[in-house]
Amino acid sequence: MVTNLPAEAKAKFAKYMEAKTPEEKLRALQEFLAAVPKHKGTENLVRWIRKRMSELREEVEERGKKKSGSGTSIFIEKEGAAQIAIIGFTKVGKSALLKALTGVNVTVSDIPYTTKIPVVGMLNYEDIQFQLVEVPSIVPTGGTWNTRTISLARNCDGLAIVLDASRNFIGEFKEVNNFLAEHGIHTVKPRGYMEIERKHDGGIRIVNYGKLLCPESEVIKLMNSYRIYNAVIKVYGEAGLDEIEKAIYENIVYKPTIVILNKIDLLESQDFLDEFRRSLPNEIPLIATSALSGTGLGSVGYTLFQTLRVIRIYTKPPTGKPSLKPLILRKGATVLDVAKAIHREFVEKFSYARIWGPSAKYPGQKVGLDHIVEDKDTVEINIKR
Ligand SMILES: Nc1nc2c(ncn2[C@@H]2O[C@H](COP(=O)(O)OP(=O)(O)OP(=O)(O)O)[C@@H](O)[C@H]2O)c(=O)[nH]1
Ligand SMILES: [Mg+2]
């Protein structure tokens, strides 16, 4: 249900969005909460505000600590084809897996919560590299530790949820999944959802990957009522005004996810594994591994490649050899995306492209900007002289 907030409350929310520091945001949210009328239609919103306020309080606390020198950076710069957050409860073997998969020197230990700051390793799959980031374990009782874990998970391109085969992994998977969902991170594409990217100019632009259930003018009106005048709104699945308002507040994201059931050497009964496999949504693949013996490790790269819908494109100049290093794009990408990734000039002066490989009807097929490329295509872009 759309909340139908009075203009005064929306103005307060606009102030929250403009706030820079956690302290300012917290103060602005407090004012917003006071201005929101309390009734059935705003129940979810009020719940969200309270949750966001408690997260901000933790952030404020964390920053206080940082000033005294004990804080750590929460952003890991992206490298390779995609950044994957390795996430789970303590002692499931995240560090052991990271070490076995990437060779990075990380402490594996029987002491809980050994990994306190994110650790990065590169996993090679054919000519692609995935950046694996072990994030600090989820603490079931919450606390500032989880704020960092969540922000790392929010910023990655995909998730690898690690579970321990010697524990109640079916229950623990649900716990991890719920924990993520509570923080607006979905492991399965919601039926309908939107992502809002705030911009500095360009007005409200709607990019429709799904079905918009209301006129675009209504969307723009709603955004403007929150004083959002410049943004790109991406629509996935079936979504209407409710989903947009939700996106304004909650900032929901979807992360392609794989599940790694580690310590398979300690699995008590195959029945549990079969039951688990059946209970998982279709789009979440399951890999059974043992970081100890090496079982299953070989399929992690391929599974990430599939789940993240990665494709490799080799580019070549009109007279010359294809590049050795591929350009990394996502399934569904077009020649336009290839041109953009090389240089703006290739878009502006585009004449035609020639394609070799899986998407070409015959080698060297001449195509335009809207041609959909496939993994392992070679693309030659010709520009107007
Ligand atoms: N039997 C068996 N033990 C494993 C396996 N993988 C990890 N372990 C053991 O599980 C314990 C925890 O491993 P870690 O990799 O440190 O766990 P973690 O998930 O990184 O936990 P944090 O301390 O929260 O970072 C260690 O004693 C490992 O030796 C495995 O595949 N099989
Ligand atoms: Mg660890």
Side-chain angles (χ1 to χ4, degrees):
M1 187 157 78
V2 180
T3 52
N4 268 327
L5 294 186
E8 184 211 343
K10 285 180 177 172
K12 300 265 189 231
F13 189 73
K15 244 177 91 186
Y16 158 72
M17 286 189 288
E18 280 154 21
K20 298 268 176 326
T21 67
E23 286 88 349
E24 281 169 18
K25 282 186 189 158
L26 191 56
R27 224 171 307 126
L29 265 192
Q30 221 142 16
E31 286 181 21
F32 177 51
L33 181 60
V36 170
K38 314 289 182 292
H39 55 73
K40 193 111 193 92
T42 58
E43 261 176 16
N44 283 334
L45 176 60
V46 169
R47 204 172 306 132
W48 173 83
I49 300 172
R50 297 229 160 92
K51 201 178 78 205
R52 186 76 194 104
M53 281 174 67
S54 88
E55 284 168 4
L56 283 166
R57 273 190 210 103
E58 284 174 8
E59 229 174 282
V60 170
E61 218 175 281
E62 183 90 342
R63 276 162 65 103
K65 277 191 223 145
K66 216 181 269 178
K67 281 188 193 119
S68 61
S70 64
T72 41
S73 161
I74 41 171
F75 294 102
I76 303 288
E77 201 169 321
K78 287 185 184 178
E79 265 179 58
Q83 184 181 76
I84 315 297
I86 304 181
I87 193 164
F89 291 123
T90 190
K91 283 178 64 173
V92 293
K94 295 185 292 302
S95 295
L97 279 168
L98 185 70
K99 192 172 189 165
L101 288 168
T102 72
V104 76
N105 190 13
V106 51
T107 310
V108 175
S109 150
D110 212 28
I111 301 165
Y113 303 108
T114 294
T115 307
K116 293 189 170 57
I117 55 167
V119 190
V120 180
M122 300 304 286
L123 168 69
N124 293 313
Y125 167 70
E126 296 185 350
D127 53 0
I128 304 175
Q129 286 201 309
F130 289 106
Q131 183 189 40
L132 306 186
V133 180
E134 180 190 358
V135 305
S137 294
I138 299 167
V139 185
T141 50
T144 53
W145 196 314
N146 286 339
T147 315
R148 223 179 321 167
T149 301
I150 281 298
S151 83
L152 287 159
R154 224 172 217 292
N155 279 299
C156 70
D157 305 305
L159 296 171
I161 297 177
V162 182
L163 304 165
D164 180 334
S166 71
R167 305 205 309 231
N168 169 18
F169 52 88
I170 299 181
E172 289 193 1
F173 172 73
K174 284 193 189 122
E175 283 175 47
V176 173
N177 214 24
N178 290 344
F179 169 83
L180 291 167
E182 267 169 33
H183 292 88
I185 302 172
H186 291 254
T187 56
V188 174
K189 240 185 204 147
R191 202 176 57 84
Y193 85 114
M194 316 215 176
E195 279 177 17
I196 300 176
E197 278 170 45
R198 308 283 304 267
K199 301 274 179 209
H200 291 296
D201 47 33
I204 303 281
R205 210 159 59 82
I206 298 169
V207 186
N208 210 339
Y209 293 112
K211 193 170 160 202
L212 189 61
L213 300 175
C214 61
E216 289 201 2
S217 58
E218 291 285 310
V219 177
I220 295 170
K221 220 164 84 192
L222 183 70
M223 296 294 282
N224 289 351
S225 78
Y226 280 97
R227 299 194 185 172
I228 301 173
Y229 302 106
N230 298 301
V232 174
I233 305 173
K234 294 181 182 157
V235 181
Y236 299 92
E238 290 191 1
L241 286 181
D242 282 357
E243 281 76 19
I244 299 209
E245 198 165 45
K246 223 171 154 185
I248 293 175
Y249 294 120
E250 296 182 15
N251 194 8
I252 286 175
V253 291
Y254 156 69
K255 302 289 174 189
T257 300
I258 70 168
V259 171
I260 300 180
L261 183 61
N262 189 42
K263 306 197 191 181
I264 203 70
D265 51 297
L266 302 178
L267 181 73
E268 277 172 24
S269 149
Q270 185 68 30
D271 293 349
F272 292 139
L273 179 56
D274 295 339
E275 186 190 332
F276 186 40
R277 215 182 277 278
R278 279 196 303 272
S279 74
L280 278 176
N282 277 340
E283 55 211 282
I284 302 185
L286 170 67
I287 310 172
T289 66
S290 167
L292 207 64
S293 73
T295 308
L297 297 181
S299 50
V300 175
Y302 175 72
T303 308
L304 286 174
F305 172 75
Q306 286 287 329
T307 309
L308 278 126
R309 300 167 58 81
V310 170
I311 59 170
R312 288 160 281 192
I313 303 297
Y314 303 89
T315 55
K316 80 181 262 312
T319 52
K321 288 204 165 77
S323 59
L324 289 174
K325 231 182 112 194
L327 206 66
I328 301 293
L329 295 169
R330 295 287 183 269
K331 256 184 205 157
T334 59
V335 169
L336 174 63
D337 297 308
V338 177
K340 268 192 208 158
I342 307 173
H343 197 278
R344 256 185 44 199
E345 199 189 24
F346 283 82
V347 182
E348 285 156 9
K349 295 188 183 167
F350 181 85
S351 170
Y352 66 93
R354 296 209 299 150
I355 306 266
W356 290 259
S359 86
K361 284 202 193 107
Y362 50 86
Q365 187 196 349
K366 227 167 140 172
V367 297
L369 282 173
D370 58 357
H371 176 85
I372 294 174
V373 290
E374 275 174 42
D375 183 42
K376 289 193 173 167
D377 272 351
T378 296
V379 178
E380 170 196 289
I381 293 180
N382 293 269
I383 54 174
K384 294 177 194 128
R385 299 276 160 205

